[in-house]
Amino acid sequence: MPIPAEINNLIKHLNQELDLTEQQATEGLVIARKILNHFPNNIILVQYFAYLNNALFLVNLDKRYIQEIIETLSSTQIMKNEEIQEIGEGLASELGRVMEARIAVTEIKNRLEYLQ
């Protein structure tokens, strides 16, 4: 079954947000490691470091989730409209969560850059 255009657009947007989140989190972790070398007992820095690691974990989980959806849609001959709508709603919800996470990651990265 070909992937419906609406689902495909959601997947593309979600992948873009995931890529941005991954990039920001990775850059933030590099900065956090440098600062943590000087202040290893700073609880706030440790929390930032943990949050950024969790964001990368979220990115990896979501990329697998998207791949599973693509495989499901590609391997299924016929799907009911309700099933397609449910997949779209799930992707849209995940997109919202990823966008929130990206905003938080960007804020943390900006704070860490200020501390450098």
Side-chain angles (χ1 to χ4, degrees):
M1 169 182 171
I3 298 174
E6 298 85 5
I7 301 291
N8 203 27
N9 289 338
L10 274 172
I11 289 171
K12 285 181 183 177
H13 193 180
L14 188 51
N15 276 324
Q16 289 172 342
E17 290 294 330
L18 288 169
D19 290 342
L20 286 171
T21 303
E22 184 175 33
Q23 177 187 358
Q24 294 291 314
T26 302
E27 291 172 7
L29 282 171
V30 169
I31 298 167
R33 279 188 189 102
K34 290 178 186 175
I35 298 171
L36 275 169
N37 283 334
H38 299 289
F39 306 101
N41 296 325
N42 186 304
I43 298 300
I44 293 174
L45 288 174
V46 171
Q47 289 174 340
Y48 285 170
F49 189 81
Y51 188 89
L52 294 171
N53 273 312
N54 284 337
L56 288 177
F57 183 68
L58 168 79
V59 166
N60 289 327
L61 285 177
D62 278 351
K63 285 184 177 184
R64 279 191 235 139
Y65 170 67
I66 291 168
Q67 192 58 42
E68 288 175 12
I69 287 174
I70 291 170
E71 289 171 8
T72 299
L73 288 171
S74 298
S75 67
T76 305
Q77 294 298 326
I78 298 174
M79 283 190 113
K80 296 178 183 175
N81 286 338
E82 296 84 26
E83 294 171 323
I84 293 171
Q85 182 176 351
E86 190 175 307
I87 288 171
E89 289 172 359
L91 286 169
S93 294
E94 196 57 35
L95 177 59
R97 285 189 287 273
V98 169
M99 290 174 78
E100 287 178 17
R102 184 187 47 78
I103 291 168
V105 164
T106 300
E107 288 177 4
I108 289 171
K109 181 183 163 249
N110 290 341
R111 289 177 189 163
L112 290 168
E113 285 175 336
Y114 179 77
L115 295 174
Q116 274 188 335

